[in-house]
Coordinates of all heavy atoms in Angstrom, one line a residue:
M1 N 2.3 7.0 17.0 CA 2.1 7.2 15.6 C 2.3 8.7 15.3 O 1.9 9.6 16.0 CB 0.6 6.8 15.2 CG 0.4 5.4 15.2 SD 0.4 4.7 13.5 CE -0.3 3.2 13.7
R2 N 2.9 9.0 14.2 CA 3.0 10.4 13.7 C 2.5 10.5 12.3 O 2.6 9.5 11.5 CB 4.5 10.9 13.8 CG 5.4 9.9 13.9 CD 6.8 10.3 14.2 NE 7.5 9.3 13.6 CZ 8.1 9.4 12.4 NH1 8.2 10.6 11.8 NH2 8.7 8.4 11.8
L3 N 2.0 11.6 12.0 CA 1.5 11.9 10.6 C 2.6 12.5 9.8 O 3.2 13.5 10.2 CB 0.3 12.9 10.7 CG -1.1 12.3 10.8 CD1 -2.1 13.4 11.0 CD2 -1.4 11.4 9.7
V4 N 2.9 11.9 8.6 CA 4.0 12.3 7.8 C 3.4 12.6 6.4 O 2.5 11.8 5.9 CB 5.1 11.2 7.7 CG1 6.2 11.6 6.8 CG2 5.6 11.0 9.1
H5 N 3.9 13.6 5.7 CA 3.5 13.9 4.3 C 3.8 12.7 3.4 O 5.0 12.3 3.3 CB 4.1 15.2 3.8 CG 3.6 15.6 2.5 ND1 4.3 15.3 1.3 CD2 2.5 16.2 2.1 CE1 3.6 15.8 0.3 NE2 2.5 16.4 0.7
L6 N 2.8 12.2 2.7 CA 3.0 11.1 1.7 C 3.1 11.7 0.3 O 4.1 11.4 -0.4 CB 1.9 10.1 1.8 CG 1.9 9.0 0.8 CD1 3.0 8.0 1.0 CD2 0.6 8.2 0.8
C7 N 2.2 12.5 -0.1 CA 2.2 13.1 -1.5 C 1.1 14.1 -1.5 O 0.2 14.2 -0.6 CB 1.9 12.0 -2.5 SG 0.3 11.2 -2.5
R8 N 1.1 14.8 -2.7 CA -0.1 15.7 -2.9 C -1.2 14.8 -3.4 O -1.0 13.7 -4.0 CB 0.3 16.7 -4.0 CG 1.3 17.8 -3.6 CD 1.3 18.9 -4.6 NE 1.2 18.5 -5.9 CZ 2.2 18.3 -6.8 NH1 3.4 18.5 -6.4 NH2 2.0 17.9 -8.0
L9 N -2.4 15.3 -3.2 CA -3.6 14.5 -3.7 C -3.5 14.2 -5.2 O -3.9 13.1 -5.6 CB -4.9 15.2 -3.3 CG -6.2 14.4 -3.1 CD1 -6.0 13.2 -2.3 CD2 -7.2 15.3 -2.6
D10 N -3.0 15.1 -6.0 CA -3.0 14.9 -7.4 C -1.8 14.0 -7.8 O -1.7 13.7 -9.0 CB -3.0 16.2 -8.2 CG -1.7 17.1 -7.9 OD1 -0.8 16.6 -7.1 OD2 -1.6 18.2 -8.4
E11 N -1.0 13.6 -6.9 CA 0.0 12.6 -7.2 C -0.4 11.2 -6.8 O 0.3 10.2 -7.1 CB 1.3 12.9 -6.4 CG 1.9 14.3 -6.8 CD 3.1 14.7 -5.8 OE1 3.0 14.4 -4.6 OE2 4.1 15.2 -6.3
A12 N -1.5 11.1 -6.1 CA -2.0 9.8 -5.7 C -2.5 8.9 -6.9 O -2.8 9.5 -7.9 CB -3.2 9.9 -4.7
P13 N -2.4 7.6 -6.8 CA -2.9 6.8 -7.9 C -4.4 7.1 -8.3 O -5.2 7.4 -7.4 CB -2.7 5.4 -7.5 CG -2.6 5.5 -6.0 CD -2.0 6.8 -5.6
A14 N -4.7 6.9 -9.5 CA -6.1 7.0 -10.0 C -6.9 5.8 -9.5 O -6.3 4.8 -9.2 CB -6.1 7.1 -11.5
P15 N -8.2 5.9 -9.5 CA -9.0 4.7 -9.1 C -8.6 3.5 -9.9 O -8.4 3.5 -11.1 CB -10.4 5.2 -9.5 CG -10.4 6.7 -9.3 CD -9.0 7.1 -9.8
G16 N -8.4 2.4 -9.2 CA -8.0 1.1 -9.8 C -6.5 0.9 -10.0 O -6.1 -0.1 -10.4
E17 N -5.7 1.9 -9.5 CA -4.3 1.8 -9.7 C -3.5 1.8 -8.4 O -4.0 2.1 -7.4 CB -3.8 3.0 -10.6 CG -4.4 3.0 -12.0 CD -3.8 4.2 -12.8 OE1 -3.1 5.0 -12.3 OE2 -4.2 4.2 -14.0
L18 N -2.3 1.3 -8.6 CA -1.3 1.3 -7.4 C -0.1 2.2 -7.8 O 0.2 2.3 -8.9 CB -0.8 -0.2 -7.3 CG -1.8 -1.3 -7.0 CD1 -1.2 -2.6 -7.2 CD2 -2.4 -1.1 -5.7
R19 N 0.5 2.7 -6.7 CA 1.7 3.5 -7.0 C 2.6 3.3 -5.7 O 2.2 3.3 -4.6 CB 1.4 4.9 -7.2 CG 2.6 5.8 -7.6 CD 2.2 7.1 -8.1 NE 1.4 7.0 -9.3 CZ 0.7 7.9 -9.8 NH1 0.7 9.1 -9.3 NH2 0.0 7.7 -10.9
E20 N 3.9 3.3 -6.0 CA 4.9 3.2 -4.9 C 5.4 4.5 -4.5 O 5.6 5.4 -5.3 CB 6.1 2.3 -5.4 CG 7.2 2.2 -4.4 CD 8.4 1.5 -4.9 OE1 8.3 0.7 -5.9 OE2 9.5 1.7 -4.3
F21 N 5.5 4.7 -3.2 CA 6.1 5.9 -2.6 C 7.1 5.5 -1.6 O 6.9 4.5 -0.9 CB 5.0 6.8 -1.9 CG 4.0 7.4 -2.9 CD1 2.9 6.8 -3.3 CD2 4.3 8.7 -3.4 CE1 2.0 7.3 -4.2 CE2 3.4 9.3 -4.3 CZ 2.3 8.6 -4.7
T22 N 8.1 6.3 -1.4 CA 9.1 6.1 -0.3 C 9.0 7.2 0.7 O 9.0 8.4 0.3 CB 10.5 6.0 -0.9 OG1 10.6 4.9 -1.8 CG2 11.5 5.8 0.3
V23 N 8.7 6.9 1.9 CA 8.6 7.9 3.0 C 9.5 7.5 4.1 O 9.3 6.4 4.7 CB 7.1 7.9 3.5 CG1 7.0 9.0 4.6 CG2 6.2 8.3 2.4
E24 N 10.4 8.4 4.4 CA 11.4 8.1 5.5 C 12.0 6.8 5.4 O 12.1 6.0 6.4 CB 10.7 8.3 6.9 CG 10.2 9.7 7.1 CD 9.7 10.0 8.5 OE1 9.7 9.0 9.3 OE2 9.5 11.2 8.9
G25 N 12.4 6.4 4.2 CA 13.1 5.2 3.9 C 12.2 4.0 3.8 O 12.7 2.9 3.6
R26 N 10.9 4.1 4.0 CA 10.0 3.0 3.9 C 9.3 3.0 2.5 O 8.8 4.0 2.1 CB 8.9 3.0 5.0 CG 9.4 2.9 6.4 CD 8.4 2.4 7.3 NE 8.0 1.0 6.9 CZ 7.6 0.1 7.8 NH1 7.5 0.4 9.0 NH2 7.2 -1.1 7.4
Q27 N 9.3 1.8 1.9 CA 8.6 1.7 0.6 C 7.1 1.4 0.9 O 6.8 0.3 1.5 CB 9.2 0.6 -0.3 CG 10.5 1.0 -0.8 CD 11.1 -0.1 -1.6 OE1 10.4 -0.8 -2.4 NE2 12.4 -0.4 -1.5
L28 N 6.2 2.2 0.4 CA 4.8 2.0 0.6 C 4.1 1.7 -0.7 O 4.4 2.3 -1.8 CB 4.1 3.2 1.3 CG 4.7 3.6 2.6 CD1 3.9 4.8 3.1 CD2 4.7 2.5 3.6
C29 N 3.1 0.8 -0.7 CA 2.3 0.6 -1.9 C 1.0 1.3 -1.6 O 0.2 1.0 -0.7 CB 2.0 -0.9 -2.1 SG 0.8 -1.3 -3.3
V30 N 0.7 2.4 -2.4 CA -0.6 3.1 -2.2 C -1.6 2.7 -3.3 O -1.2 2.6 -4.5 CB -0.3 4.6 -2.3 CG1 -1.6 5.4 -2.1 CG2 0.7 5.0 -1.2
A31 N -2.8 2.4 -2.9 CA -3.8 1.9 -3.8 C -5.0 2.9 -3.7 O -5.3 3.5 -2.7 CB -4.3 0.5 -3.3
N32 N -5.6 3.0 -4.9 CA -6.9 3.7 -5.0 C -8.0 2.7 -5.3 O -8.1 2.3 -6.5 CB -6.8 4.8 -6.0 CG -8.0 5.7 -6.0 OD1 -9.1 5.2 -5.7 ND2 -7.9 7.0 -6.4
D33 N -8.7 2.3 -4.3 CA -9.7 1.3 -4.4 C -11.1 1.9 -4.6 O -11.7 2.2 -3.6 CB -9.7 0.3 -3.2 CG -10.6 -0.8 -3.4 OD1 -10.9 -1.2 -4.5 OD2 -11.1 -1.4 -2.3
G34 N -11.4 2.2 -5.8 CA -12.7 2.9 -6.1 C -12.8 4.2 -5.4 O -13.9 4.6 -5.0
G35 N -11.7 5.0 -5.4 CA -11.8 6.3 -4.8 C -11.3 6.4 -3.3 O -11.1 7.4 -2.8
R36 N -11.1 5.2 -2.7 CA -10.6 5.2 -1.3 C -9.1 4.8 -1.4 O -8.7 3.8 -1.9 CB -11.4 4.1 -0.5 CG -11.0 4.0 0.9 CD -11.7 2.9 1.6 NE -11.1 1.6 1.3 CZ -10.0 1.0 1.8 NH1 -9.4 1.7 2.8 NH2 -9.6 -0.1 1.4
L37 N -8.3 5.7 -0.8 CA -6.9 5.5 -0.8 C -6.5 4.6 0.4 O -7.1 4.7 1.5 CB -6.1 6.8 -0.7 CG -6.2 7.8 -1.9 CD1 -5.5 9.1 -1.6 CD2 -5.6 7.1 -3.1
A38 N -5.6 3.7 0.2 CA -5.1 2.9 1.2 C -3.6 2.7 1.0 O -3.1 2.7 -0.1 CB -5.8 1.5 1.2
A39 N -2.8 2.4 2.1 CA -1.4 2.2 2.0 C -1.0 0.9 2.8 O -1.4 0.7 3.9 CB -0.6 3.4 2.4
V40 N -0.2 0.1 2.1 CA 0.4 -1.1 2.8 C 1.9 -1.1 2.5 O 2.4 -0.4 1.6 CB -0.2 -2.4 2.3 CG1 -1.7 -2.4 2.7 CG2 0.0 -2.6 0.8
D41 N 2.6 -1.9 3.3 CA 4.1 -2.1 3.0 C 4.2 -2.6 1.6 O 3.5 -3.4 1.1 CB 4.6 -3.1 4.0 CG 6.1 -3.1 4.1 OD1 6.8 -2.8 3.0 OD2 6.6 -3.4 5.1
N42 N 5.2 -2.0 0.9 CA 5.4 -2.4 -0.6 C 6.1 -3.8 -0.7 O 6.0 -4.3 -1.8 CB 6.2 -1.3 -1.3 CG 6.1 -1.5 -2.8 OD1 5.1 -1.7 -3.4 ND2 7.3 -1.5 -3.4
I43 N 6.7 -4.3 0.3 CA 7.5 -5.5 0.2 C 6.7 -6.7 0.6 O 6.3 -6.9 1.7 CB 8.8 -5.4 1.1 CG1 9.5 -4.1 0.8 CG2 9.6 -6.6 0.8 CD1 10.0 -3.9 -0.6
C44 N 6.5 -7.6 -0.4 CA 5.7 -8.8 -0.1 C 6.5 -9.7 0.9 O 7.7 -9.9 0.7 CB 5.5 -9.6 -1.4 SG 4.6 -11.1 -1.2
P45 N 5.8 -10.3 1.9 CA 6.4 -11.1 2.9 C 6.8 -12.5 2.4 O 7.6 -13.2 3.0 CB 5.4 -11.2 4.0 CG 4.1 -11.0 3.4 CD 4.3 -10.0 2.2
H46 N 6.3 -12.8 1.2 CA 6.7 -14.1 0.6 C 8.1 -14.2 0.2 O 9.0 -14.8 0.8 CB 5.7 -14.5 -0.5 CG 6.0 -15.8 -1.2 ND1 6.0 -16.0 -2.5 CD2 6.4 -17.0 -0.6 CE1 6.3 -17.3 -2.8 NE2 6.6 -17.9 -1.6
R47 N 8.5 -13.4 -0.9 CA 9.8 -13.4 -1.4 C 10.2 -11.9 -1.8 O 11.0 -11.7 -2.7 CB 10.0 -14.3 -2.6 CG 9.7 -15.7 -2.3 CD 10.9 -16.6 -2.5 NE 10.7 -18.0 -2.0 CZ 10.5 -19.0 -2.8 NH1 10.6 -18.9 -4.1 NH2 10.3 -20.2 -2.2
Q48 N 9.6 -11.0 -1.1 CA 10.0 -9.6 -1.2 C 9.6 -9.0 -2.6 O 10.3 -8.1 -3.1 CB 11.5 -9.3 -1.0 CG 11.9 -9.4 0.5 CD 11.9 -10.9 1.0 OE1 12.6 -11.7 0.4 NE2 11.1 -11.2 2.0
G49 N 8.5 -9.5 -3.2 CA 8.0 -8.9 -4.4 C 7.5 -7.5 -4.2 O 7.1 -7.1 -3.1
P50 N 7.6 -6.6 -5.3 CA 7.2 -5.2 -5.1 C 5.7 -5.1 -5.4 O 5.2 -5.1 -6.5 CB 8.0 -4.5 -6.3 CG 8.2 -5.6 -7.3 CD 8.2 -6.9 -6.6
L51 N 4.9 -5.0 -4.3 CA 3.4 -5.0 -4.4 C 2.9 -3.9 -5.4 O 1.9 -4.2 -6.1 CB 2.8 -4.9 -3.1 CG 3.0 -6.2 -2.2 CD1 2.3 -6.0 -0.8 CD2 2.6 -7.4 -2.8
A52 N 3.5 -2.8 -5.4 CA 2.9 -1.7 -6.2 C 3.0 -2.0 -7.7 O 2.4 -1.3 -8.5 CB 3.6 -0.3 -5.9
E53 N 3.8 -3.0 -8.1 CA 3.9 -3.4 -9.5 C 2.9 -4.5 -9.8 O 2.9 -5.1 -10.9 CB 5.3 -3.9 -9.8 CG 6.3 -2.7 -9.7 CD 7.7 -3.1 -10.0 OE1 8.0 -4.2 -10.7 OE2 8.7 -2.5 -9.5
G54 N 2.1 -4.9 -8.8 CA 1.1 -5.9 -8.9 C -0.2 -5.3 -9.4 O -0.3 -4.3 -10.1
Q55 N -1.3 -5.9 -9.0 CA -2.7 -5.5 -9.5 C -3.6 -5.3 -8.3 O -3.4 -5.9 -7.2 CB -3.3 -6.5 -10.4 CG -2.5 -6.7 -11.7 CD -3.3 -7.6 -12.6 OE1 -4.1 -8.4 -12.2 NE2 -3.0 -7.5 -13.9
L56 N -4.5 -4.4 -8.5 CA -5.5 -4.1 -7.5 C -6.8 -4.8 -7.9 O -7.2 -4.6 -9.1 CB -5.7 -2.6 -7.4 CG -6.8 -2.0 -6.4 CD1 -6.5 -2.5 -5.0 CD2 -6.9 -0.5 -6.5
E57 N -7.4 -5.6 -7.0 CA -8.6 -6.4 -7.4 C -9.5 -6.6 -6.2 O -9.1 -7.2 -5.2 CB -8.1 -7.7 -7.9 CG -9.2 -8.6 -8.5 CD -8.6 -9.9 -9.0 OE1 -7.9 -9.9 -10.1 OE2 -8.8 -10.9 -8.3
A58 N -10.6 -6.0 -6.2 CA -11.7 -6.2 -5.2 C -11.1 -6.0 -3.8 O -11.3 -6.8 -2.9 CB -12.3 -7.6 -5.4
G59 N -10.5 -4.8 -3.6 CA -10.0 -4.5 -2.2 C -8.8 -5.2 -1.8 O -8.4 -5.2 -0.6
R60 N -8.1 -5.9 -2.7 CA -6.9 -6.6 -2.4 C -5.8 -6.2 -3.4 O -6.1 -5.9 -4.6 CB -7.1 -8.1 -2.6 CG -8.3 -8.7 -1.8 CD -8.6 -10.1 -2.2 NE -8.8 -10.1 -3.6 CZ -8.6 -11.2 -4.4 NH1 -8.3 -12.3 -3.8 NH2 -8.8 -11.1 -5.7
V61 N -4.5 -6.3 -2.9 CA -3.4 -6.0 -3.9 C -2.8 -7.4 -4.1 O -2.5 -8.2 -3.2 CB -2.4 -5.0 -3.3 CG1 -1.9 -5.4 -2.0 CG2 -1.3 -4.7 -4.3
L62 N -2.6 -7.7 -5.4 CA -2.0 -9.0 -5.8 C -0.5 -8.8 -6.1 O -0.2 -7.9 -7.0 CB -2.7 -9.5 -7.0 CG -4.0 -10.4 -6.8 CD1 -5.0 -9.6 -6.1 CD2 -4.5 -10.9 -8.1
C63 N 0.3 -9.5 -5.5 CA 1.8 -9.5 -5.7 C 2.1 -9.9 -7.2 O 1.5 -10.9 -7.7 CB 2.5 -10.4 -4.7 SG 4.3 -10.4 -5.0
P64 N 3.0 -9.1 -7.8 CA 3.2 -9.4 -9.2 C 4.0 -10.7 -9.4 O 4.1 -11.3 -10.5 CB 4.0 -8.2 -9.7 CG 4.7 -7.7 -8.5 CD 3.7 -8.0 -7.4
W65 N 4.7 -11.3 -8.4 CA 5.6 -12.4 -8.5 C 4.8 -13.7 -8.4 O 5.0 -14.6 -9.3 CB 6.7 -12.3 -7.6 CG 7.7 -11.2 -7.9 CD1 7.6 -10.3 -9.0 CD2 8.9 -10.9 -7.3 NE1 8.7 -9.5 -9.0 CE2 9.5 -9.8 -8.0 CE3 9.6 -11.4 -6.2 CZ2 10.7 -9.3 -7.6 CZ3 10.8 -10.9 -5.8 CH2 11.4 -9.8 -6.5
H66 N 4.1 -14.0 -7.4 CA 3.4 -15.3 -7.2 C 1.9 -15.1 -6.8 O 1.3 -16.0 -6.4 CB 4.1 -16.1 -6.2 CG 5.6 -16.2 -6.3 ND1 6.4 -15.4 -5.6 CD2 6.4 -16.8 -7.2 CE1 7.7 -15.6 -6.0 NE2 7.7 -16.5 -6.9
A67 N 1.4 -13.9 -7.0 CA 0.0 -13.6 -6.9 C -0.6 -13.8 -5.5 O -1.9 -14.0 -5.4 CB -0.8 -14.4 -8.0
W68 N 0.2 -13.7 -4.5 CA -0.5 -13.7 -3.2 C -1.3 -12.4 -3.1 O -0.9 -11.4 -3.6 CB 0.6 -13.6 -2.0 CG 1.2 -15.0 -1.8 CD1 1.3 -16.0 -2.6 CD2 1.9 -15.3 -0.5 NE1 2.0 -17.1 -2.0 CE2 2.4 -16.7 -0.7 CE3 2.1 -14.7 0.7 CZ2 3.1 -17.3 0.3 CZ3 2.8 -15.3 1.6 CH2 3.3 -16.7 1.5
A69 N -2.5 -12.5 -2.5 CA -3.4 -11.4 -2.4 C -3.5 -10.9 -1.0 O -3.8 -11.7 -0.1 CB -4.8 -11.8 -2.9
F70 N -3.3 -9.6 -0.8 CA -3.3 -9.0 0.6 C -4.5 -8.0 0.7 O -4.7 -7.1 -0.2 CB -2.0 -8.3 0.8 CG -0.8 -9.2 0.8 CD1 -0.1 -9.4 -0.3 CD2 -0.5 -9.9 2.0 CE1 1.0 -10.2 -0.4 CE2 0.6 -10.8 1.9 CZ 1.3 -10.9 0.8
D71 N -5.3 -8.2 1.7 CA -6.4 -7.3 2.0 C -5.9 -5.9 2.3 O -5.0 -5.8 3.2 CB -7.3 -7.9 3.1 CG -8.5 -7.2 3.3 OD1 -8.5 -6.1 3.9 OD2 -9.6 -7.7 2.9
L72 N -6.6 -4.9 1.7 CA -6.1 -3.5 2.0 C -6.5 -3.0 3.4 O -6.0 -2.0 3.8 CB -6.6 -2.6 0.9 CG -5.9 -2.7 -0.5 CD1 -6.7 -1.9 -1.5 CD2 -4.5 -2.3 -0.4
V73 N -7.5 -3.7 4.0 CA -8.0 -3.2 5.3 C -7.1 -3.7 6.5 O -6.7 -3.0 7.3 CB -9.5 -3.5 5.5 CG1 -9.9 -3.2 6.9 CG2 -10.3 -2.8 4.5
D74 N -6.9 -5.1 6.4 CA -6.1 -5.7 7.6 C -4.7 -6.2 7.1 O -4.0 -6.6 8.0 CB -6.9 -6.8 8.3 CG -7.3 -7.9 7.3 OD1 -6.7 -8.0 6.2 OD2 -8.2 -8.7 7.7
G75 N -4.5 -6.2 5.8 CA -3.1 -6.6 5.4 C -2.9 -8.1 5.3 O -1.8 -8.5 4.9
V76 N -3.9 -8.9 5.7 CA -3.7 -10.3 5.7 C -3.8 -11.0 4.4 O -4.6 -10.6 3.5 CB -4.8 -11.0 6.7 CG1 -4.7 -12.5 6.7 CG2 -4.6 -10.4 8.1
A77 N -2.9 -12.0 4.1 CA -2.9 -12.7 2.9 C -4.1 -13.6 2.8 O -4.5 -14.3 3.8 CB -1.6 -13.5 2.7
E78 N -4.7 -13.6 1.6 CA -6.0 -14.3 1.4 C -5.9 -15.8 1.7 O -6.7 -16.4 2.4 CB -6.4 -14.1 0.0 CG -7.8 -14.7 -0.3 CD -8.2 -14.4 -1.8 OE1 -7.7 -15.0 -2.7 OE2 -9.0 -13.4 -1.9
H79 N -4.8 -16.5 1.2 CA -4.7 -17.9 1.4 C -3.7 -18.4 2.4 O -3.4 -19.5 2.5 CB -4.4 -18.6 0.0 CG -3.1 -18.1 -0.6 ND1 -2.9 -16.9 -1.1 CD2 -1.9 -18.8 -0.6 CE1 -1.7 -16.8 -1.5 NE2 -1.0 -17.9 -1.2
N80 N -3.2 -17.4 3.2 CA -2.2 -17.8 4.2 C -2.4 -16.7 5.3 O -1.7 -15.7 5.3 CB -0.8 -17.8 3.7 CG 0.2 -18.1 4.7 OD1 -0.1 -18.3 5.9 ND2 1.5 -18.2 4.3
S81 N -3.3 -17.0 6.3 CA -3.6 -16.0 7.3 C -2.4 -15.7 8.2 O -2.4 -14.7 9.0 CB -4.8 -16.4 8.1 OG -4.5 -17.6 8.8
A82 N -1.3 -16.5 8.1 CA -0.2 -16.2 9.0 C 0.7 -15.2 8.3 O 1.6 -14.7 9.0 CB 0.6 -17.5 9.1
A83 N 0.5 -14.9 7.1 CA 1.3 -13.9 6.4 C 0.5 -12.6 6.2 O -0.7 -12.6 5.9 CB 1.7 -14.4 5.0
S84 N 1.1 -11.5 6.4 CA 0.4 -10.2 6.2 C 1.4 -9.1 5.9 O 2.6 -9.2 6.2 CB -0.4 -9.8 7.5 OG 0.5 -9.6 8.6
V85 N 0.9 -8.0 5.4 CA 1.7 -6.8 5.3 C 1.2 -5.7 6.2 O 0.0 -5.7 6.6 CB 1.7 -6.2 3.8 CG1 2.4 -7.1 2.9 CG2 0.2 -6.0 3.3
E86 N 2.0 -4.8 6.6 CA 1.6 -3.7 7.5 C 0.7 -2.8 6.8 O 1.0 -2.4 5.6 CB 2.8 -3.0 8.1 CG 2.5 -2.0 9.2 CD 3.7 -1.4 9.8 OE1 4.8 -1.8 9.5 OE2 3.5 -0.5 10.7
V87 N -0.4 -2.3 7.4 CA -1.3 -1.3 6.8 C -1.0 0.0 7.5 O -0.9 0.1 8.7 CB -2.8 -1.8 7.1 CG1 -3.7 -0.7 6.6 CG2 -3.0 -3.1 6.4
F88 N -0.9 1.1 6.7 CA -0.6 2.4 7.2 C -1.9 3.3 7.0 O -2.3 3.6 5.8 CB 0.6 3.0 6.4 CG 1.8 2.2 6.6 CD1 2.1 1.2 5.7 CD2 2.7 2.5 7.7 CE1 3.3 0.4 5.9 CE2 3.8 1.7 7.8 CZ 4.1 0.7 7.0
P89 N -2.5 3.8 8.1 CA -3.6 4.6 7.9 C -3.3 5.9 7.2 O -2.2 6.5 7.4 CB -4.0 4.9 9.4 CG -3.4 3.8 10.2 CD -2.1 3.5 9.5
L90 N -4.2 6.4 6.4 CA -4.0 7.6 5.6 C -5.0 8.7 6.1 O -6.1 8.4 6.5 CB -4.2 7.4 4.1 CG -3.2 6.4 3.5 CD1 -3.5 6.2 2.0 CD2 -1.7 6.9 3.7
E91 N -4.6 9.9 5.9 CA -5.6 11.0 6.1 C -5.4 12.0 5.0 O -4.2 12.2 4.5 CB -5.3 11.8 7.5 CG -5.7 10.9 8.7 CD -5.6 11.7 10.0 OE1 -5.4 12.9 9.9 OE2 -5.6 11.1 11.0
I92 N -6.5 12.6 4.6 CA -6.4 13.7 3.6 C -6.5 15.0 4.3 O -7.4 15.2 5.1 CB -7.6 13.6 2.6 CG1 -7.7 12.2 2.0 CG2 -7.4 14.7 1.5 CD1 -6.6 11.8 1.1
E93 N -5.6 15.9 4.0 CA -5.7 17.3 4.6 C -5.5 18.3 3.5 O -4.4 18.4 3.0 CB -4.5 17.4 5.7 CG -4.7 18.5 6.6 CD -3.7 18.5 7.7 OE1 -3.8 17.7 8.7 OE2 -2.7 19.2 7.6
D94 N -6.5 19.0 3.2 CA -6.5 19.9 2.1 C -6.1 19.2 0.8 O -6.8 18.3 0.4 CB -5.6 21.1 2.4 CG -6.1 21.9 3.6 OD1 -7.3 22.0 3.8 OD2 -5.3 22.4 4.4
T95 N -5.0 19.5 0.2 CA -4.6 18.9 -1.0 C -3.4 17.9 -0.8 O -2.8 17.5 -1.7 CB -4.1 20.0 -2.0 OG1 -3.0 20.7 -1.4 CG2 -5.2 20.9 -2.4
D96 N -3.2 17.5 0.5 CA -2.2 16.6 0.8 C -2.7 15.2 1.4 O -3.7 15.2 2.0 CB -1.2 17.2 1.8 CG -0.5 18.4 1.2 OD1 0.0 18.3 0.1 OD2 -0.5 19.5 1.9
V97 N -1.9 14.2 1.1 CA -2.2 12.9 1.7 C -1.1 12.7 2.8 O 0.1 12.8 2.5 CB -2.1 11.8 0.6 CG1 -2.5 10.4 1.3 CG2 -3.1 12.1 -0.5
L98 N -1.6 12.4 4.0 CA -0.6 12.1 5.1 C -0.7 10.6 5.5 O -1.8 10.0 5.4 CB -1.0 13.0 6.3 CG -1.2 14.5 6.0 CD1 -1.6 15.2 7.2 CD2 0.1 15.1 5.5
V99 N 0.4 10.1 5.9 CA 0.4 8.7 6.3 C 0.8 8.6 7.8 O 1.7 9.4 8.3 CB 1.3 7.9 5.4 CG1 2.8 8.4 5.5 CG2 1.3 6.4 5.8
K100 N 0.2 7.7 8.5 CA 0.6 7.5 10.0 C 1.7 6.4 10.0 O 1.5 5.3 9.6 CB -0.6 7.0 10.8 CG -1.6 8.2 11.1 CD -2.7 7.7 12.0 CE -3.7 8.8 12.2 NZ -4.9 8.4 13.0
L101 N 2.8 6.8 10.6 CA 3.9 5.9 10.8 C 4.1 5.7 12.3 O 3.9 6.6 13.1 CB 5.2 6.5 10.1 CG 5.2 6.7 8.6 CD1 6.5 7.3 8.2 CD2 4.9 5.4 7.9
A102 N 4.6 4.5 12.6 CA 4.9 4.2 14.0 C 6.0 5.0 14.5 O 6.9 5.4 13.8 CB 5.2 2.7 14.2
Ligands
FES201 S1 7.0 -12.6 -3.7 FE1 4.9 -12.0 -3.4 S2 3.8 -13.7 -3.7 FE2 5.8 -14.4 -3.9

């Protein structure tokens, strides 16, 4: 794993919001869940919906296309445990948000 710059802290989504970022060619969906930042793969494994255009609800991101809900901690889909999105650990360093990539 390597730490890569994701964004400045003031560019991160506000509490309750989602925002898409592209880092080294990967699209990430960054969520601010009550002040806690989390990042998952932005591409829904169902039919490739853009998760950052969905909604954040109770620690889950809801895909805008067919409402599959993915847990922000383990990435697993709520109603289909065989489906999941990759979760990317984040770190805050001074005024920057860093993401761990494989
Ligand atoms: S594309 Fe995401 S739920 Fe269908």
Side-chain angles (χ1 to χ4, degrees):
M1 289 260 195
R2 15 191 213 102
L3 272 176
V4 177
H5 184 262
L6 175 68
C7 66
R8 293 193 322 261
L9 202 47
D10 62 5
E11 297 171 323
E17 294 184 356
L18 302 168
R19 186 167 299 166
E20 178 184 336
F21 290 90
T22 300
V23 180
E24 296 191 352
R26 293 205 68 149
Q27 290 180 38
L28 305 182
C29 169
V30 178
N32 185 330
D33 185 27
R36 185 184 71 85
L37 293 176
V40 298
D41 196 327
N42 192 48
I43 308 299
C44 179
H46 180 220
R47 300 242 172 110
Q48 288 73 56
L51 293 181
E53 295 178 23
Q55 294 187 340
L56 177 59
E57 186 180 287
R60 306 167 307 155
V61 58
L62 274 61
C63 180
W65 287 3
H66 313 99
W68 283 22
F70 298 93
D71 188 282
L72 287 170
V73 174
D74 60 16
V76 175
E78 184 176 79
H79 62 286
N80 180 358
S81 61
S84 65
V85 289
E86 187 171 357
V87 176
F88 298 90
L90 298 179
E91 289 187 13
I92 310 292
E93 195 173 285
D94 299 323
T95 57
D96 294 312
V97 182
L98 309 176
V99 58
K100 284 186 182 174
L101 297 178

